[in-house]
Amino acid sequence: MADLGSALRTVLDGPFASARDATREQLAATAVLTDPTLTLEEQRRQTREAVLALAKTGVPAAGFAEAHGGTGDIGASLVGFEMLVYADVSLMVKAGVQWGLFGGAVENLGTERHHATYLPRIIAGDLLGCFAMTETGHGSDVQSLETTATYDAATGELVIDSPTPTARKDYIGGAAHDATLAAVFAQLVTAGPGEEPQSRGVHCVLVPIRDEDGRDLPGVTTSDCGVKGGLNGVDNGRIVFDQVRVPRENLLDRYASVAEDGSYSSPIENPNRRFFTMLGTLIRGRVSIAGASGAAARQALAIAVRYALRRRQFGAPGAAEGDPTEVLLLDYRTHQRRLLPALARAYALQTAQNDLVATLARLQGGGTEPDPKEQRDLEALAAGIKAYASWQASATIQECREACGGAGYLAANRLTTLKADTDVFTTFEGDNTVLMQLVGKELLTGYADEVRGLDPVGMATFAVSNAAEVVLERTPVAPLVARLRDATRREGDEPDLLDRGTQLALLTDREEHLLDTLARRMQAARKASGPEAFAAFNRAQDHLVHLGRAHVERVVLESFVAAVGAVEDEEVRTMLDAVVDLFALSVVEEDKAWFLEHRRLSVGRAKNVTTSVNALCERLRPYAADLVDAFGIPENLLEVEVLA
Amino acid sequence: MADLGSALRTVLDGPFASARDATREQLAATAVLTDPTLTLEEQRRQTREAVLALAKTGVPAAGFAEAHGGTGDIGASLVGFEMLVYADVSLMVKAGVQWGLFGGAVENLGTERHHATYLPRIIAGDLLGCFAMTETGHGSDVQSLETTATYDAATGELVIDSPTPTARKDYIGGAAHDATLAAVFAQLVTAGPGEEPQSRGVHCVLVPIRDEDGRDLPGVTTSDCGVKGGLNGVDNGRIVFDQVRVPRENLLDRYASVAEDGSYSSPIENPNRRFFTMLGTLIRGRVSIAGASGAAARQALAIAVRYALRRRQFGAPGAAEGDPTEVLLLDYRTHQRRLLPALARAYALQTAQNDLVATLARLQGGGTEPDPKEQRDLEALAAGIKAYASWQASATIQECREACGGAGYLAANRLTTLKADTDVFTTFEGDNTVLMQLVGKELLTGYADEVRGLDPVGMATFAVSNAAEVVLERTPVAPLVARLRDATRREGDEPDLLDRGTQLALLTDREEHLLDTLARRMQAARKASGPEAFAAFNRAQDHLVHLGRAHVERVVLESFVAAVGAVEDEEVRTMLDAVVDLFALSVVEEDKAWFLEHRRLSVGRAKNVTTSVNALCERLRPYAADLVDAFGIPENLLEVEVLA
């Protein structure tokens, strides 16, 4: 196999090879691993300094349009941020707050005057801000935030207030210490001439919270969330507003504005759609967390796989008398099963992440409003991949920690820090359980649109069991994937599990079936009302989450198949095909009961799934070192005690 | 239901109600939650002081025989230690090192002179020690430790040495700072008159490592493992020995001794049996960790369930217009599924832990050598329950953390600290994957003994498929359990999943089948040699782990059924029966693919398992608060921010 390493790297880096290489160089030259012995204050100071240093690298600027003082390379910016995880997850998160969330809100929700006034200083790191959305009482349900921004036409000011204890802004990165300006999400209340004041829903207002000496401004009370389970380089805090006045111009008014006389106007009439449009522009945060999750999982795998290739324990049964050779951990089946399917997922997820970032860059980087349908699909996919990747990272890092035993528990070996720092990824930027339901609901909406669009005659001839297919087919799929899937789909009775078409068909059929049955269930539920309606919805919740997960796994497999299909070297491709097999079949194995219950797998084939996963682990064992080396994590960031 | 709380408490506390109540009082009066803002040094100092204070409570003394200066109540000692987890996991672990491992080694491996010389000071906390077993190169494979203890007949001394870098003692609690005496496990090398020096296998020797001022003694070099992923109140460290001389009398010589002339003798001839007998006396460490895992899971559940009963998010679909009431988290099905099956497991595991502790107290508390077969069964069960309970705790705490969202990530809310501090439970005191294999192997040995004991005629008529049953039947089972199980077993085709007998039969059949098929597989493997033998063993590894898990789940269910069967109040028993159902069926659900593949469940029944788990969650939802209150965790140790 000619240059296996670089061929693998090409698959993993996808369209962002040069941006990744540039970040690798930076990290190799300057980055150091988080020091677990630092105090809270020292960690925060170090992370703040690293954020300021990062401002000078050009990575943050890449995330902003050229017209706004950036360099307009969203993809490069996102992969650059993602890779910071290899050194310090706090740095990645604090940078994400400053440039992704806070800067992103100003760029995407604001208009020219906000861009001109703030963006150059935000990009340069001269103005540090925070993203004050979550409140003590409301996190997942952003539409019910309680903070108010009431327009006072007499002074032309917006009055920001926390009317209840639960309206307090909470867990806000930067609010404890560093941020001087906050992008505050609040219920906008205003009255046009002759109107009663009314709430217009959640909007975003820029509110200064600290003076240059770090003192709270009048009416603002900040406090500190203190020590967290991880990410202690980020100064999370709380903010309470007591009738704080800011000029009307501080409303970020791309999607809604308040005239001097208090009249409210918006280019988007439907308040619900307006709200989701505003939120949708902030998609980059979720994409970032998905990427960061992938990076953390890869680093943990690199450490655990390398350890398993050095560490020996117990002599082999049947070894010749006096043979002192002990067995390498990675030669044990249990150890292979712990690490290699997770490694296959890491590969699959990185190809899906590359596709996600590329789509985001295409839609947001064009300077025009993206197609609403494409934007919505992208949002659902970002939500799903964020949830899937962060749960996967949590499970993978945990497994890697345990696979390194006591050595894995020493902070010097990075695994516990990685676990602690990324643990909150499963619940921030959208709680995973809520996000997976969002994915399911979005598919359901697409389904309904499709069916609703048919005339009565069409409806009659439209087999309900095929409706889901229509929805899925709309998802753009690489021609290779479509060909493979369609070739095998529903053909024979017992097609080969190692056949790519079979794998694609298994995951596609599962998603279709889940969508079809959920749609019927929901149709029935729609007839209920009151407590019955809640009960019907509630009973379908697991179904919804399952659908979300099935959808993500199907899409990830398709990305992976397409990426591997593009590999030219046949030997490399053959090896990578085994990695795809391992991903696909370990996904099927995890949900095997479903496939059996729904007669997608016979008992015999179901057993073969497990046999095949085992065989694939053995087949890939010799390539384990190459597979993790290809991640291209700078070696200085893998210099942990356990590998010394 | 008359006094539900106290009825539940009775089931949970089992035979240790008064010991638990005494500890509850102590904790309520004096304990404070670990402070996550302390520095490493401060945490260590605080934990050391707490250990010294604990010495005065009588809990440590209870773990030692009256003849040795203790009060001889092993059960009280174990549950007392376990409950320390509610305040500070480091304290529980450091106390476990001092009295369970170090003190236990002196009591169980030593003889009268060691007892008289050391135990009073150990019990009083005047002599702090450490348990120096694990080395950098060998943890799971204790038989291959490299440290040597070579007898020098010329001086009557044992020479302790670390001949290689990997012979360094590693991760040893107390070795970094506090311990002055070490129980060192080393290969004993000695020669009787006219013999060549030879290794006699691993033995335990007491070696002073520090003077009173904390300085390393000559030839001893200690160092510090530094910050860990948790348990930072425990000063784990490393020890290297350079030809350190101690008197011959320092060998703990209950099972083997060296005469002045160097002759070696032991009451146990077989070296392998001798080694496992020595290790077996140290079983209390594993039982402690199993108990501590249970306590940690209970505390996490108490916090997460109470939070889910206060926290509301999103309005209910179908709610009347203007109804401001948001839905409690625990009313969501996804949330019930996250917490309530874990709660059922916590109940089941506590009843099994009570049985385990009671058996241990009976076998070790009698002052006589326990029956070898009973002792071996107990060891296997302790290994299995330790592995199961610690994995379960890890998963449960993680789920609880996520179920509390951002609030769960604040250290002040205890969940992240609990997770971090207990994380190593899955790999110390025996790596879980290795322990589960040990359980499987032990069952296999029992099976082989049983079959081997038959004469040829017996063998011929002994249906292989029934052999496992014989092994399982030997496990002592409460009469109620036997009656229930046998009543239903293999009777009808589709018995009710909520029938207790059906549940017992499902778990028993699974274990039997796994054992039967593994035995046959191993028989075939035994014919292989060299690399083939390893390959055959290796391919069965997952099977072995699965058997271990199936065994533990069956035993835990039996303990739980027996404990609930003893409840007198019918209403309370009916409610607890639903908890047993939820435990049993969630166990079946988790391994549903296996039951389907092995035709223990039809497709229809398999779907019913999930339906039943959902229905049981709904059924138990109203009792969730009572169920966690009954844990009896002192309220001062539940005063976390998120519940304030």
Side-chain angles (χ1 to χ4, degrees), chain B residues 99-121:
Chain B
W99 291 294
L101 294 175
F102 170 66
V106 174
E107 181 169 49
N108 293 306
L109 302 180
T111 50
E112 226 174 308
R113 65 166 179 269
H114 306 111
H115 299 160
T117 312
Y118 301 108
L119 285 182
R121 286 190 294 144

Side-chain angles (χ1 to χ4, degrees), chain A residues 315 320 322-326:
Chain A
D323 177 358
T325 317
E326 296 167 296

Side-chain angles (χ1 to χ4, degrees), chain B residues 344-382:
Chain B
R345 280 188 197 209
Y347 265 71
L349 269 169
Q350 189 159 358
T351 63
Q353 177 74 13
N354 283 337
D355 287 350
L356 183 66
V357 171
T359 309
L360 176 76
R362 181 170 58 77
L363 292 190
Q364 289 200 347
T368 54
E369 289 287 321
D371 171 67
K373 173 70 188 119
E374 276 198 299
Q375 169 74 20
R376 245 176 97 168
D377 285 350
L378 178 68
E379 283 166 30
L381 192 58

Side-chain angles (χ1 to χ4, degrees), chain B residues 298-339:
Chain B
R298 290 194 297 277
Q299 192 174 20
L301 283 164
I303 293 167
V305 166
R306 287 185 178 191
Y307 180 72
L309 289 169
R310 305 161 58 109
R311 174 79 173 179
R312 295 174 181 274
Q313 201 78 176
F314 291 110
E321 189 71 31
D323 177 359
T325 319
E326 295 167 294
V327 180
L328 277 174
L329 293 192
L330 202 57
D331 285 329
Y332 288 110
R333 167 161 291 174
T334 46
H335 219 81
Q336 291 171 6
R337 297 273 325 202
R338 298 178 97 160
L339 299 181

Side-chain angles (χ1 to χ4, degrees), chain A residues 108-136:
Chain A
N108 293 305
L109 302 180
T111 49
E112 224 173 311
R113 67 165 178 268
H114 306 111
H115 299 159
T117 312
Y118 300 109
L119 286 182
R121 286 190 296 144
I122 290 174
I123 294 172
D126 295 335
L127 170 63
L128 296 183
C130 64
F131 184 78
M133 180 182 270
T134 297
E135 296 175 358
T136 305

Side-chain angles (χ1 to χ4, degrees), chain A residues 132-216:
Chain A
M133 180 182 270
T134 297
E135 296 175 358
T136 305
H138 292 87
S140 292
D141 185 6
V142 175
Q143 272 186 296
S144 300
L145 293 178
E146 297 176 85
T147 301
T148 50
T150 309
Y151 182 62
D152 178 356
T155 63
E157 289 170 320
L158 286 161
V159 185
I160 314 299
D161 195 54
S162 314
T164 67
T166 48
R168 179 180 69 172
K169 294 294 175 184
D170 211 342
Y171 319 114
I172 310 299
H177 189 275
D178 293 344
T180 56
L181 185 65
V184 177
F185 288 78
Q187 304 288 350
L188 177 65
V189 180
T190 179
E195 287 178 347
E196 283 298 299
Q198 55 177 295
S199 175
R200 315 288 176 158
V202 172
H203 291 67
C204 186
V205 185
L206 294 177
V207 185
I209 57 171
R210 282 195 176 85
D211 66 19
E212 281 185 5
D213 300 324
R215 283 177 303 227
D216 286 349

